[in-house]
Amino acid sequence: MSALSELNKEIALCQQCEIAKYRNRVVPGEGAEDADIMFIGEAPGWHEDQQGRPFVGPAGKYLDELLASISLRREQVYIANVIKCRPQGNRDPLPTEIQNCRQWLQRQIETIQPKMIVTLGRYSMAMYFPGKSISKIHGTAQKRDDVVYYAMYHPAAALHQQSLRQAIEEDMLKIPTLLTQAETIKEEPEPEQLSMF
Ligand code: URA
């Protein structure tokens, strides 16, 4: 069994948070173990909780379209979330849930070793661009320790707000160039406070 499957099996047994009691399925993530790009969303919703797979509802269909716009399929990237269980009623993740789940995301990143981490929405952005505002930094990249971090709006937000749709579509189109020109992006120091949580 691959290192990632082993890890995802461990994640499936996690009972650290209260929400573990209410989940139907854990949603560790899915995609290529050797993906160059890792997308990190917020938390599973109803559809994801039913299927145990990330981004399979309406936001996921839109993410698939966005990937297709740069000639990628979801099998060629890795898609994960900040937290792996669905918060009841689709409420926002709690700081303790994000903190508890952080080790899993970190281990996924260490296993996959992506060249680029794309944050989808505020929650994953806050982990890698602490203190920043998404309306200011979406579509911009930072390189740290040879990894390009890139912030985008959440596909669900763009689905519901026409004004963000153009932004997310344009931001997605910048990814291939950022990836091929990653060598030329200047390294930046680690932010002082790596997370607001
Ligand atoms: N929204 C997310 O952030 N993640 C999913 O997996 C689905 C919807």
Side-chain angles (χ1 to χ4, degrees), residues 68-197:
S69 76
I70 55 168
S71 305
L72 285 177
R73 285 172 287 110
R74 60 163 59 214
E75 300 78 26
Q76 296 173 289
V77 300
Y78 200 84
I79 303 175
N81 282 305
V82 169
I83 66 169
K84 315 298 188 195
C85 298
R86 176 181 181 237
Q88 304 105 288
N90 290 347
R91 64 157 166 75
D92 289 343
L94 301 175
T96 47
E97 291 162 352
I98 294 170
Q99 194 54 44
N100 288 343
C101 230
R102 200 182 172 111
Q103 51 156 337
W104 300 129
L105 184 61
Q106 190 49 38
R107 283 178 60 192
Q108 288 177 315
I109 293 169
E110 283 162 14
T111 308
I112 297 162
Q113 297 196 314
K115 294 191 174 106
M116 185 167 185
I117 291 182
V118 180
T119 62
L120 299 172
R122 300 183 286 130
Y123 284 89
S124 52
M125 181 199 66
M127 293 180 109
Y128 303 102
F129 299 90
K132 303 283 188 208
S133 144
I134 195 154
S135 61
K136 295 219 172 71
I137 65 150
H138 74 88
T140 68
Q142 275 194 7
K143 191 158 94 178
R144 280 175 256 141
D145 292 331
D146 232 17
V147 177
V148 177
Y149 293 88
Y150 186 61
M152 286 180 49
Y153 283 111
H154 195 286
L159 261 185
H160 298 127
Q161 280 182 65
Q162 196 59 36
S163 59
L164 303 184
R165 233 184 141 108
Q166 190 180 351
I168 199 174
E169 290 176 7
E170 286 174 4
D171 291 348
M172 187 61 113
L173 293 177
K174 293 189 201 163
I175 289 180
T177 310
L178 281 169
L179 199 58
T180 51
Q181 297 183 357
E183 295 295 316
T184 65
I185 303 173
K186 201 170 106 288
E187 282 274 340
E188 301 201 25
E190 286 285 310
E192 250 167 50
Q193 168 212 9
L194 199 61
S195 167
M196 65 191 262
F197 304 107

Side-chain angles (χ1 to χ4, degrees), residues 27 40-49 53-60 79-83 120 154-156:
V27 184
I40 306 177
E42 183 178 315
W46 186 86
H47 296 276
E48 291 75 22
D49 176 69
R53 299 178 56 212
F55 282 96
V56 288
I79 303 175
N81 282 305
V82 169
I83 66 169
L120 299 172
H154 195 286

